[in-house]
Every structure is written in structure tokens, then in C-alpha cells.
Amino acid sequence: MGKDGTKYAVVDAFTAEPFKGNPAAVCLLEDASKAADERWMQSVAAEFNLSETAFLLRDDSSAAGAVPRFQLRWFTPATEVDLCGHATLASAHFLFTSVLAEHEALIEFSTKSGILTAKRVPAPESTGVSGEGKLFIELDFPVIDLVDCHPSELPSIPETLNGASIISVHKSTGDLIVVELSSGKEVADITPNIHEIKMCSGSGIIVTGPAAAGSGYDFFTRFFCPKFGIDEDPVCGSAHCVLAPYWGGKLGKHKLTAFQASSRSGTLYLELEAARRRVRIQGEAVSVMTGTLLA
């Protein structure tokens, strides 16, 4: 930590409304030793107690005029993760609005999942708004594949599903269980039993279902991950690296609009690039708090 402390912001991602979407703390490090101190970063994440805390360190090795690049790591209150969408969106929003020059439109992040990018983009056409005065950000993330789910891995969550109609169960290469229900309404109406979810195989459970016709969405989702210290992740960008190809294939679409039906809720605009095996994830964010870490 520098003598003036570590600057941070709390940013609500995948929403334009304060106190909606998914909050992430974003810490801008000026001391490389802090970026290497996993114990300190984990303690900070536990102190914030949000679904994710992101740590940024500017990479000054690039040539003058090159795209700004930052090292980026993500921590839940309990552990470090390899990929996080909402905290990347929150980090990009913080950098675009508070750190970088106004003309900067692209950022590179060096992460455990490789180089990820974030760029300013116009509002998606499906929003029906001009986007003037709005900051939409597009993330370029890797596709996450689904694999066959062994019968022993099928989640036993009868109280959580409470009679909901299960269409299919899959598993991602990232060890997430994906349960498709017959409707988005069933997804929204779930009352999770966190204890039984925690006992299931897999690192977390994604529950998803088709949106109702005329809703403006293609599918609904909720994501439960108590093993990461988060009972329900309010809006999860990385889960949509699994869901975009899944629903894109089912619906025959490469552009989709997703709604995460948590109590905070959030909207994600997705574009699947199958040939590149990438998912473009667009959304808004809003800063709700800034401050300084003194420890």
C-alpha cells in the first residue's frame, strides 16, 4: 500500500440503477507487492464481503500509445477465481470513468483466463434507446463448454426445485451444474435451500429456463454458489459463457438478451462468435461508492 492507501470503488454491474445488478469492489493497486500478496487480497475481499472483489495493477511495460493493460485478479470472500464477468465489467467502468483519459475506448486485462478486453460500445439495438450519455461496455470472454453429466453428479435439490419441471441437466468444463427448467417463471420462483445446494457435486448450480414470449428476453437464469462463499450470485457474467452457446444452439440465435432473476436482477446482452469460441457480453454499470483502504 502506498502512503495514501489503496483507492477503491464499489460498482453495481449489469444495471444502470444503483443497488441493482451485481456489486463488485474494485481496488486500484499502485504497489506491485500488494498485487503479489494473495493473503492480503483475500483478506480485503472477505472484508468487503461482496460476491467479487477485483484487484487492478497497471502494466507499464507496453509501448507508448499502446492499449492500456492492467493485471486483473478476482476474489470472492472465500477464494480466488479464474474468471469473473461482473467484476471485469465493474473494473472497466471504474477505469473508463475515473482513471483513463476520455479518448480511451479499449482496455486489455491480463488474467488467469488469458488476455480479456473491454471496450466502449453503443447501446445494443434491442434496448431501443440511442445510448447517448450512456456507457455500455462489451467484454470479450471465452466460451465454456458443456459435457455429459454422470448420474452420480445429478443435483439432489428437491426442496430448492419444489416440483419445478426439469428439462435437462448438464455440467460445464468449469465444474458448474446447469439445470434447465421448463420456464423462466419457474426459475424466478425458486426458493433455494442453500444447505442442499452446498452438498451437491460441482462448484455451483446454474438454473435456467426460457423467457416468456414478449418479455424482451430470451432466457432467465439464477446462479447459486455457496462453496465460493456466495449463496446466490446476483448477476454472473461468466455463467453466460456457458449459457450463450447453450441457448444460442437451442434457439438458433447468435444474439441473445438474458435476464438474471435474482432479487437484485440484471440484464446481459450476448453475442456468440462460434468460430472464435468467444462470447461478447455487453452491459451497463454504475458506481455507488468510492474510498480508500488504509490497511
Side-chain angles (χ1 to χ4, degrees), residues 77-266:
T79 189
E80 184 175 10
V81 298
D82 291 337
L83 187 66
C84 178
H86 90 274
T88 305
L89 179 64
S91 297
H93 177 87
F94 171 67
L95 292 173
F96 280 136
T97 58
S98 302
V99 177
L100 298 176
E102 288 188 10
H103 70 271
E104 299 287 2
L106 179 67
I107 306 168
E108 293 181 342
F109 295 111
S110 177
T111 78
K112 288 194 171 185
S113 292
I115 299 298
L116 307 176
T117 62
K119 67 178 181 179
R120 299 175 184 260
V121 292
E125 293 180 5
S126 58
T127 63
V129 299
S130 68
E132 185 176 349
K134 289 180 171 287
L135 174 57
F136 275 86
I137 295 170
E138 179 180 273
L139 309 177
D140 188 333
F141 269 37
V143 161
I144 298 176
D145 293 318
L146 288 176
V147 296
D148 291 335
C149 189
H150 190 273
S152 65
E153 297 173 313
L154 294 176
S156 177
I157 49 175
E159 290 188 27
T160 294
L161 296 180
N162 193 25
S165 301
I166 299 176
I167 302 301
S168 62
V169 181
H170 304 273
K171 183 180 180 181
S172 79
T173 52
D175 201 36
L176 297 173
I177 304 296
V178 180
V179 180
E180 182 188 346
L181 303 183
S182 63
S183 72
K185 183 179 185 306
E186 286 189 315
V187 174
D189 287 346
I190 283 174
T191 301
N193 181 319
I194 298 302
H195 175 73
E196 67 177 9
I197 291 173
K198 197 170 187 177
M199 295 300 105
C200 288
S201 65
S203 55
I205 294 181
I206 300 170
V207 184
T208 188
S215 67
Y217 298 100
D218 291 295
F219 62 93
F220 281 23
T221 298
R222 292 176 71 182
F223 180 37
F224 307 103
C225 44
K227 292 179 182 178
F228 287 104
I230 309 157
D231 288 349
E232 180 171 4
D233 198 1
V235 192
C236 182
S238 60
H240 289 78
C241 295
V242 179
L243 295 169
Y246 179 73
W247 282 108
K250 286 181 70 78
L251 301 176
K253 302 174 72 172
H254 71 280
K255 288 187 176 182
L256 305 112
T257 304
F259 180 73
Q260 192 136 349
S262 67
S263 59
R264 292 179 64 104
S265 73

